[in-house]
Amino acid sequence: MGRLSRVLAGMSLTAVGLTVLALSRRTVQLNQGHAPGDKGSGFTVEFASFSARKSDAQNARCSNMKVYATLPCVNSRRPCVQLYGPSEERVSASIPVILSVPHGGTKKPVWYATRNCTNRDGWICTGDGWTIRLAKAIAAGFGATYGERCPWLVINHLHRSKLDVNRDLPIATGGDSNAAEAWSAFHNFVTLAQNKVNALHGNDDTAIKGILVDLHGYSGVDYQAGGSPYVLYSFRLNDSVLNQSVLSDLVGGSVAHAAQRLGSNGMDRIVRGPESFGARISPVDPKLVVGTMPSRCGEAVPSPGNPSPLKVCHKCRYFSGNTGSTLGLHAAVQVDRKRTLAMNAVQVELPRCIRKADEWYTGLGRSDTTAVQADFAARFTSGVCDWLQGVFDEPLCGPAS
């Protein structure tokens, strides 16, 4: 892969309307070319594969996505942060979905200081195992369901003990300048992807026609001893809000734009009603729930059947998305010198039974986990695209193949 670099030191990427956070000393690998509709300098891509396994989807057409940007680790050619996208910048190749993976990295380079891992006050260092692999399975799922169309994917490869990109800088990096650079790169790449989605799929003058999906993992042993079966969909709404009988349309959250488009009772409908992710994304096929896996694996909270955390567990932790910075930083994006647009976003907390069943439950092998992930990926991709169509009243993902 060629090494074409541009220093991103507080410069403005006017080709895509993006003001970049400063990356003080190092380079981010970008291929120089032209952005969609731009006649001047811009950014296209470098070919590379993230090698998603073909077994992750029956037709893994998105297993060879392009690398749009890379931040190499300090004193290494290996990537620390990467942005992947469709093979070509055209509507018929793109899905208006950005997948971000903040805590799935495993790299622990000595050049990055270890954070103060007290597991209190935001200083959490436990990674979300297998979320990178699952994100690739989901990307492959889009390709399998919607032909050659692929989503956008931002990955932090650093372990959470070195960097937590879902926190504000002081806690995210512990003051380490190398980690701060990677933090900036991750969020720059999300913003770049948002601008790409806007350039390709447009907006409704208020919000970009797409969604940001921030993928996480959790054990859920407070739900039940073997781990929770639930997928938690978080919209920067805490459990005290969700435990209300009716959600006010004024509560805000990361899908406030979607709620407004739906009109009366829009927030309740989009978060846990008939238009919600919980209504559109069904649980894993029961035939795949084997061994000691928890039943109802992949069931959603909130959803019509589980409208609030209180309905499934009185003392369990619900990840609201409030403490993280990814949804907060990217709920709006500047697309040109005059306009800032909203972008609907959701934080998805994935249970062990979907991420790595064979490591936590008896009676399963690696092939069982792969089958569960492929099944969930197929349900998730079609559900997200149905959700987008319900919000924007057009088939943004294109026809299913």
Side-chain angles (χ1 to χ4, degrees), residues 50 52-63 65 99 134-147 149-151 377 381:
F50 60 40
R53 301 183 182 188
K54 290 188 177 180
S55 58
D56 287 340
Q58 291 181 348
N59 185 359
R61 295 174 183 170
C62 293
S63 63
M65 296 168 69
L99 305 171
L134 184 54
K136 293 175 180 179
I138 291 171
F142 278 111
T145 304
Y146 297 97
R149 293 172 179 254
C150 300
T381 53

Side-chain angles (χ1 to χ4, degrees), residues 68 84-86 94-95 97-99 150-154 193 196-197 200:
Y68 279 67
Y84 294 92
S94 171
I95 292 284
V97 174
I98 302 168
L99 305 171
C150 300
W152 302 79
L153 175 60
V154 184
K196 296 287 190 183
V197 170
L200 290 170

Side-chain angles (χ1 to χ4, degrees), residues 286-311:
K287 295 178 182 178
L288 298 176
V289 180
V290 297
T292 60
M293 282 178 65
S295 61
R296 299 157 66 182
C297 178
E299 197 167 299
V301 176
S303 66
N306 300 313
S308 70
L310 187 64
K311 292 294 184 181

Side-chain angles (χ1 to χ4, degrees), residues 118-181:
T118 61
N119 288 330
R120 293 183 299 177
D121 302 322
W123 293 92
I124 299 171
C125 294
T126 304
D128 295 340
W130 286 33
T131 47
I132 292 178
R133 179 182 173 184
L134 184 54
K136 293 175 180 179
I138 291 171
F142 278 111
T145 304
Y146 297 97
E148 61 182 303
R149 293 172 179 254
C150 300
W152 302 79
L153 175 60
V154 184
I155 296 175
N156 168 37
H157 291 286
L158 287 170
H159 190 268
R160 199 174 182 182
S161 62
K162 299 293 184 177
L163 172 66
D164 188 342
V165 294
N166 207 44
R167 296 289 187 272
D168 292 328
L169 263 175
I171 295 178
T173 66
D176 182 76
S177 59
N178 290 332
E181 182 180 55

